């Protein structure tokens, strides 16, 4: 049998035209070269592989790595959805200096109702053993036997008077079990959104208005977009947005979902509706899979802590279920109308920039030469200092040189100089902390403590970014557990997860000696509140749930702030102990007044009966007292009254002496009034703990 030519040769021959010529005769030679053949065999060359490189959209990336945005499981997803919507609402209202009013409603949707919403007919189970929650007869016997043993043990314990727990006959479900669905609605009175921008603001991941150097609650451009992605993954239902801006006579309504692979919005409906009530703000509604049972406490704790750090906001939270006993309605009232200032966008500090950021700033700046760029695009670089920096860069640099002429090597030189040179620290003017006043009000409003102390530190710097630490410590209060109850906030956002590794937790547990401040760490009800605001919060991990303990600047600032609060509390505790000791001493003296009065009166009465015999010894004042006792002008009641009066005077003098020594004159108080211009006789006095207010009628 003849040897067959290789496939490559055949392909080359086939590629010849009708006159026998080939487009590339060299290809035939290449095909034949280096391809030895064996008799009776043929070798087929492998086809060139197509490129395996693929590109993922941001939406697809976060859909596959949803734990980065806090969507680890259905329960955490429900919590994160509420959190993102509430924080967007607060940002929207604060941006226009409007006192926030936020309504959050979580409506439970049963599986049958959900199926009806999507047009799916319910189907009864046919093969029970197919399902994850199926219980075989053998497992049922084991469970019943175990419950019988527990019931027997509890019966014996009950006979002995021991406290017993009720035995539950419900078996635990394996896996995820029955899915639960919820409609989450968040409505606010904020700025609203432009009609044409709504689709991109909700249907395009990593697009937003929070990418400047500014203190903001969010940074990634995710927010409600991640809730939309989770909705698409778990229910497939679109999100609904209603929005209206100030002075608009219409409401923008949009129903959309997201094209995960292309990262673009898929619009179902986008229209304008009448705005008869002149409402402004936004209302967002999304239906997702969730777990209210396991994350109920987390969601309620989040709302409570948000009410602490934003006492100028009003929150209404509702959970609605078909089972009426599960319904929850909580209103967190507004306590003050004093809002923190709107945070300002600032320029970058030279020590906080990297090479990539320098290149981006050069590409975006409107300045033409290097001197103007350094002077106007960074903080704390004056004209004279910029000239000194340029002189330090070397002979290749000049103040008037064009930014476009800078080479890559020259950019590296600028970056190196920024890392090595000395610059003044940035100020904290661009930050917007809650304020010591608001923090104190929030703690008092939500916890009702017996004592509270707050402290706001000055601006400090970490890696070129300013930060401010505010702290508060409360003792006692409503619904507060014994021991340390730690509340953490970052840019006025409550942090509820990964508490153990946080700088606040470690400082409170390891670096504060509570006993030295007259505080019992295990028995007292202690609330520790720490709020950190910055243009860049140094979170650890992708979940943005805790601040690491390895940053010495932040760690020392937190410790200092907590110590300041502890010193305030120690002074208050000492005053309280002094007052308690005075009361106890007064109570003890008062207790012995009747016996002392009776004993003194009996002695004097006995002496008065023998005054005729001992008259020579009882002259002057003593004789007068005995005479009054004899004629009963002085009785036992008289001594009792005088002793009680003396106890009151001694207690009053000791209180005044203590107030004078401590520098705080709390007692006695005297009502002082400003004289009215006219003689007004009708008035009402309002007595407060600090002053008396007289209202003229």
């Amino acid at each position: 049998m003849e040897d067959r030519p290789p496939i490559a040769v055949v392909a080359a021959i086939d590629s010849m035209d009708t006159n026998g010529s080939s487009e590339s005769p060299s290809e035939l030679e290449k095909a034949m070269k280096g391809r030895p053949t064996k008799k009776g065999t043929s070798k087929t060359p492998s086809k060139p592989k197509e490129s395996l490189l693929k590109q993922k959209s941001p939406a697809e990336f976060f859909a596959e790595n949803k734990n980065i945005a806090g969507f680890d499981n259905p329960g955490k997803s429900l919590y994160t959805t509420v959190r993102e919507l509430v924080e967007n609402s607060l940002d929207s209202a604060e941006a226009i200096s409007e006192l926030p009013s936020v309504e959050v409603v979580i409506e439970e949707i049963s599986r049958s109702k959900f199926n009806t919403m999507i047009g799916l007919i319910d189907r009864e189970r046919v093969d029970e053993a197919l399902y994850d929650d199926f219980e075989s007869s053998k497992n049922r016997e084991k469970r019943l036997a175990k419950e019988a043993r527990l019931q027997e043990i509890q019966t014996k314990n009950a006979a002995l008077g021991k406290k017993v727990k009720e035995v539950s006959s419900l078996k635990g479900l394996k896996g995820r079990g029955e899915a639960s669905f919820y409609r989450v609605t968040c409505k606010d009175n904020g700025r609203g959104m432009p009609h044409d921008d709504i689709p991109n603001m909700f249907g395009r991941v990593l697009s937003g208005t929070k990418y400047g150097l500014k203190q903001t609650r969010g940074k990634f451009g995710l927010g409600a977009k991640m809730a939309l992605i989770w909705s698409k993954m778990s229910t497939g239902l679109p999100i609904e947005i209603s929005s209206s801006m100030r002075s608009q006579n219409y409401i923008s309504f949009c129903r959309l979902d997201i094209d995960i692979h292309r990262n673009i919005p898929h619009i179902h409906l986008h229209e304008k509706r009448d705005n008869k009530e002149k409402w402004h703000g936004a209302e967002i509604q999304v239906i997702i899979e969730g777990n209210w049972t396991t994350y109920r406490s987390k969601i309620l704790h989040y709302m409570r802590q948000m009410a602490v750090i934003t006492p100028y906001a009003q929150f209404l939270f509702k959970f609605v279920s078909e089972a009426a006993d599960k319904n929850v309605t909580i209103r967190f009232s507004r306590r003050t109308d004093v809002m923190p200032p709107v945070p300002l966008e600032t320029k970058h500090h030279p020590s906080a920039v990297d090479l990539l950021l320098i290149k981006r700033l050069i590409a975006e700046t409107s300045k033409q030469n290097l001197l103007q760029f350094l002077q106007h695009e960074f903080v704390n670089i004056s004209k004279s200092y910029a000239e000194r920096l340029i002189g330090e860069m070397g002979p290749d640099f000049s103040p008037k040189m064009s930014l476009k002429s800078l080479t890559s090597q020259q950019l590296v030189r600028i970056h190196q100089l920024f890392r090595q040179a000395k610059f003044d620290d940035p100020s904290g003017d661009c930050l917007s902390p809650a304020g010591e006043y608001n923090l104190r009000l929030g703690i008092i409003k939500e916890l009702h403590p017996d004592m509270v102390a707050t402290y706001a530190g000055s601006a400090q710097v970490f890696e070129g970014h300013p930060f401010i630490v505010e702290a508060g410590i409360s003792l006692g209060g409503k619904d507060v557990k014994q021991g340390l109850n730690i509340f953490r906030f970052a840019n006025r956002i409550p942090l509820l997860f990964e508490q153990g590794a946080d700088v606040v937790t470690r400082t409170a547990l390891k670096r504060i000696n509570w006993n030295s401040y007259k505080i019992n760490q295990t028995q007292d009800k202690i609330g520790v509140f720490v709020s950190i605001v910055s243009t860049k919060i140094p979170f650890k991990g992708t979940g943005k749930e805790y601040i690491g303990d390895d940053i010495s600047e932040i760690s020392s600032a937190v410790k200092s702030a907590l110590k300041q609060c502890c010193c305030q509390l120690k002074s208050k505790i000492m005053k309280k102990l002094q007052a308690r000791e005075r009361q106890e001493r007064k109570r003890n003296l008062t207790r012995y007044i009747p016996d002392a009065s009776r004993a003194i009166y009996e002695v004097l009465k006995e002496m008065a009966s023998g005054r005729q015999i001992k008259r020579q010894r009882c002259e002057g004042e003593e004789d007068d007292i005995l005479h009054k006792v004899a004629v009963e002008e002085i009785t036992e009641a008289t001594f009792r009254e005088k002793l009680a009066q003396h106890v009151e005077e001694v207690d009053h003098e000791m209180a005044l002496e203590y107030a004078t020594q401590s520098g705080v004159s709390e007692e006695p108080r005297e009502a002082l009034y400003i004289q009215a211009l006219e003689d007004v006789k009708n008035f009402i006095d309002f007595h407060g703990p600090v002053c008396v207010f007289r209202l003229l009628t």
Side-chain angles (χ1 to χ4, degrees):
M1 184 181 291
E2 289 184 12
D3 292 342
R4 299 181 59 186
I7 299 297
V9 176
V10 175
I13 294 174
D14 290 340
S15 66
M16 294 181 180
D17 57 13
T18 54
N19 60 10
S21 64
S22 175
E23 291 183 359
S24 55
S26 60
E27 291 184 3
L28 179 59
E29 298 174 1
K30 291 180 181 178
M32 294 297 295
K33 187 178 180 179
R35 292 181 180 269
T37 59
K38 291 184 179 181
K39 190 175 183 178
T41 63
S42 64
K43 187 174 181 181
T44 304
S46 60
K47 294 182 179 179
K49 293 184 179 180
E50 296 181 1
S51 175
L52 298 178
L53 294 177
K54 293 184 179 181
Q55 183 177 359
K56 288 185 178 180
S57 71
E60 191 175 5
F61 171 81
F62 283 106
E64 295 179 359
N65 302 275
K66 55 186 181 295
N67 60 300
I68 294 177
F71 287 74
D72 304 62
N73 53 66
K76 183 76 177 294
S77 300
L78 179 62
Y79 161 80
T80 306
T81 298
V82 172
R83 167 179 170 169
E84 294 288 358
L85 296 182
V86 168
E87 289 164 10
N88 285 347
S89 295
L90 290 174
D91 283 337
S92 178
E94 291 173 3
I96 57 174
S97 299
E98 183 86 15
L99 291 172
S101 180
V102 182
E103 298 180 11
V104 180
V105 180
I106 301 177
E107 180 185 354
E108 187 176 30
I109 300 175
S110 62
R111 174 173 284 277
S112 59
K113 185 177 179 180
F114 173 75
N115 289 344
T116 303
M117 291 173 60
I118 62 176
L120 185 65
I121 301 175
D122 286 340
R123 175 176 172 81
E124 297 292 334
R125 293 184 178 183
V126 178
D127 187 357
E128 287 286 346
L130 183 66
Y131 294 89
D132 189 45
D133 57 356
F134 173 72
E135 185 181 32
S136 63
S137 57
K138 184 177 181 180
N139 291 335
R140 187 182 300 109
E141 291 177 0
K142 289 182 178 180
R143 175 175 60 83
L144 293 176
K146 183 178 179 180
E147 291 178 1
R149 289 195 302 270
L150 291 175
Q151 189 67 44
E152 183 180 354
I153 294 173
Q154 290 192 350
T155 304
K156 294 180 180 179
N157 291 338
L160 298 174
K162 296 182 180 179
K163 187 176 181 180
V164 296
K165 293 183 179 180
E166 184 179 355
V167 177
S168 175
S169 59
L170 297 176
K171 64 183 181 69
L173 297 178
K174 295 188 296 180
R176 296 176 64 180
E178 190 76 8
S180 299
F181 303 97
Y182 301 89
R183 178 187 285 112
V184 181
T185 306
C186 184
K187 184 177 181 181
D188 62 63
N189 61 338
R191 175 172 51 188
M193 294 161 283
H195 179 80
D196 296 332
D197 292 346
I198 292 177
N200 282 330
M201 293 181 75
F202 285 89
R204 193 184 299 273
V205 174
L206 296 184
S207 63
T209 59
K210 298 182 178 180
Y211 290 125
L213 189 61
K214 182 180 178 181
Q215 175 194 325
T216 56
R217 288 189 171 92
K219 275 288 186 186
F220 289 165
L222 284 174
K225 303 165 195 174
M226 194 63 216
L228 175 57
I229 292 176
W230 174 248
S231 172
K232 188 173 181 67
M233 295 175 67
S234 60
T235 66
L237 294 175
I239 191 173
E240 293 185 355
I241 305 107
S242 299
S243 173
S244 179
M245 304 183 72
R246 278 179 171 174
S247 71
Q248 274 188 356
N249 57 1
Y250 64 89
I251 294 176
S252 302
F253 178 81
C254 187
R255 183 185 297 116
L256 60 86
D257 60 24
I258 187 171
D259 187 327
I260 298 291
H261 303 291
R262 299 169 61 194
N263 191 33
I264 60 173
H266 178 212
I267 302 172
H268 297 260
L269 179 63
H270 193 193
E271 63 182 10
K272 297 179 179 179
R273 300 177 176 178
D274 291 337
N275 187 11
K276 298 179 180 179
E277 298 180 357
K278 303 299 180 183
W279 164 73
H280 66 85
E283 182 178 7
I284 302 171
Q285 185 179 108
V286 59
I287 299 176
I288 59 173
E289 181 183 353
N291 190 331
W292 167 258
T293 304
T294 56
Y295 273 78
R296 176 183 185 274
S297 60
K298 288 292 184 183
I299 294 174
L300 295 181
H301 285 165
Y302 170 80
M303 295 301 301
R304 189 186 189 192
Q305 292 190 32
M306 188 59 83
V308 169
I309 201 65
T310 54
Y312 52 88
Q314 178 173 295
F315 298 97
L316 177 62
F317 177 83
K318 290 183 179 181
F319 176 79
V320 182
S321 173
E322 294 179 354
D325 58 333
K326 294 174 62 177
N327 290 348
V328 177
T329 300
I330 303 177
R331 182 182 296 275
F332 300 93
S333 301
R334 179 181 293 116
R335 180 65 185 268
T336 178
D337 57 358
V338 178
M339 295 177 60
V342 177
L344 304 175
E345 188 165 349
T346 185
K347 298 176 183 178
H348 293 273
H349 192 270
S351 62
V353 298
D354 53 32
L355 189 59
L356 186 63
L357 182 56
I358 293 175
K359 292 181 179 179
R360 182 171 68 83
L361 291 176
I362 289 176
E364 295 176 354
T365 186
S366 60
K367 306 304 176 184
Q368 299 299 321
N369 58 54
L370 180 59
L371 178 64
Q372 294 176 344
F373 173 71
L374 296 178
Q375 184 180 350
H376 295 284
E377 295 297 333
F378 300 94
V379 295
N380 296 352
I381 297 184
S382 62
K383 182 178 180 180
S384 60
Y385 205 79
E387 292 174 345
R388 291 176 60 189
L389 289 173
I390 295 173
E392 187 68 20
M393 293 176 189
D396 297 336
F397 294 84
S398 66
K400 299 298 183 181
M401 70 182 302
S402 173
L403 293 176
K404 295 181 180 179
S405 65
L406 291 172
T407 64
S408 299
Q409 292 81 5
Q410 289 175 322
L411 292 179
V412 172
R413 178 61 185 143
I414 294 174
H415 179 233
Q416 290 177 347
L417 185 59
F418 278 175
R419 298 293 297 271
Q420 298 170 1
K422 180 176 63 176
F423 300 94
D424 292 336
D425 291 336
S427 66
D429 297 339
C430 59
L431 300 179
S432 177
E436 191 175 350
Y437 173 77
N438 278 337
L439 182 60
R440 178 183 291 268
L441 278 183
I443 295 172
I444 294 174
K445 178 171 72 81
E446 295 302 323
L447 271 68
H448 305 284
D450 302 325
M451 293 183 185
V452 63
T454 54
Y455 175 78
S458 58
Q460 300 187 49
V461 180
F462 164 67
E463 292 186 352
H465 293 277
F467 70 92
I468 293 177
V469 175
E470 299 173 299
I473 298 179
S474 64
L475 292 178
K478 180 182 178 183
D479 299 331
V480 181
K481 299 178 181 179
Q482 285 186 333
L484 291 176
N485 298 267
I486 298 175
F487 302 85
R488 302 168 295 132
F489 305 92
N491 280 350
R492 308 209 304 266
I493 296 176
L495 306 178
L496 271 65
F497 295 91
E498 301 184 48
Q499 178 172 302
D502 191 88
V503 60
V504 178
T505 304
R506 293 187 175 232
T507 300
L509 290 175
K510 299 181 179 181
R511 303 187 182 99
I512 302 296
N513 184 3
W514 297 95
N515 291 329
S516 63
Y517 299 102
K518 308 296 181 182
I519 300 174
N520 191 316
Q521 183 177 345
T522 57
Q523 296 182 1
D524 291 337
K525 297 179 179 180
I526 309 169
V528 178
F529 302 82
V530 175
S531 172
I532 302 175
V533 296
S534 177
T535 53
K536 182 181 180 181
I537 297 291
F539 289 111
K540 294 292 183 181
T542 57
K544 300 196 303 180
E545 290 292 350
Y546 77 100
I547 301 171
D549 192 34
D550 56 339
I551 303 172
S552 58
E553 294 91 342
I554 294 180
S555 177
S556 60
V558 170
K559 180 180 178 181
S560 176
L562 290 178
K563 281 191 170 183
Q564 290 288 342
C565 294
C566 287
C567 290
Q568 296 178 37
L569 283 180
K570 182 179 180 180
S571 177
K572 295 181 180 182
I573 293 171
M574 292 300 295
K575 290 180 183 179
K576 192 172 182 179
L577 291 176
Q578 291 279 355
R580 188 180 302 167
E581 290 176 2
R582 292 198 306 270
Q583 291 177 357
E584 186 66 23
R585 184 170 56 252
K586 181 180 177 181
R587 190 181 300 113
N588 292 335
L589 291 174
T590 305
R591 185 186 307 165
Y592 294 110
I593 284 177
D595 294 336
S597 301
R598 188 180 308 109
I600 294 173
Y601 180 73
E602 292 294 336
V603 171
L604 293 177
K605 189 175 181 182
E606 191 70 28
M607 293 174 63
S609 63
R611 66 188 289 267
Q612 295 297 333
I613 301 172
K614 303 177 180 178
R615 186 175 180 84
Q616 66 278 13
R617 299 182 186 175
C618 301
E619 297 178 354
E621 186 176 351
E622 293 83 354
D623 183 61
D624 185 49
I625 292 176
L626 293 177
H627 173 71
K628 290 180 179 180
V629 171
V631 298
E632 296 186 352
E633 287 185 22
I634 296 178
T635 62
E636 182 182 341
T638 306
F639 287 107
R640 190 177 305 163
E641 180 184 351
K642 293 295 183 180
L643 285 174
Q645 183 179 352
H646 179 72
V647 169
E648 288 289 344
E649 290 178 356
V650 171
D651 181 69
H652 182 79
E653 291 173 359
M654 293 185 67
L656 182 61
E657 180 182 359
Y658 175 78
T660 304
Q661 292 176 353
S662 61
V664 181
S665 180
E666 295 188 357
E667 292 291 347
R669 286 190 177 97
E670 181 181 355
L672 300 176
Y673 304 99
I674 299 176
Q675 185 66 34
L677 295 177
E678 299 178 0
D679 187 14
V680 181
K681 296 182 179 179
N682 298 326
F683 55 84
I684 302 174
D685 284 350
F686 297 92
H687 293 269
V690 178
C691 65
V692 180
F693 179 69
R694 174 168 290 181
L695 178 64
L696 306 178
T697 58

